Amino acid sequence: MFTIEHEFDATVVTIVDEGEAPLQDDVTISAFAECVTVEQHDTRTDRTHKVTFSLQQLRDLGAALDLPEGAYRLTAPED
């Protein structure tokens, strides 16, 4: 299950783990104009971990999900 909320400066997607136990804590993804953050609370340490992606890193991640093992560099298409 997931929710989508449009806030003043970001779109926030929260993903809830509904699989079989043991379940992971919710993952919150916030998309801003200049970056995307991914956060997850760790109940074992009572800390929230945050990773910030630049928009280029996010594009690379999206491309990597559909590519085989290897090293790649995305370039703009030539006209």
Side-chain angles (χ1 to χ4, degrees), residues 3-63:
T3 64
I4 302 171
E5 301 172 58
H6 298 291
E7 297 185 358
F8 171 72
D9 62 345
T11 296
V12 179
V13 177
T14 302
I15 302 171
V16 179
D17 190 1
E18 293 186 305
E20 295 183 26
L23 299 177
Q24 298 295 316
D25 288 318
D26 296 356
V27 173
T28 302
I29 303 146
S30 300
F32 300 92
E34 67 283 348
C35 67
V36 173
T37 62
V38 179
E39 295 181 69
Q40 185 176 41
H41 187 75
D42 184 345
T43 53
R44 294 174 295 136
T45 61
D46 197 31
R47 296 180 74 186
T48 298
H49 301 281
K50 179 191 250 184
V51 176
T52 302
F53 291 91
S54 70
L55 298 181
Q56 181 62 49
Q57 288 175 312
L58 194 62
R59 283 190 290 273
D60 289 350
L61 175 60

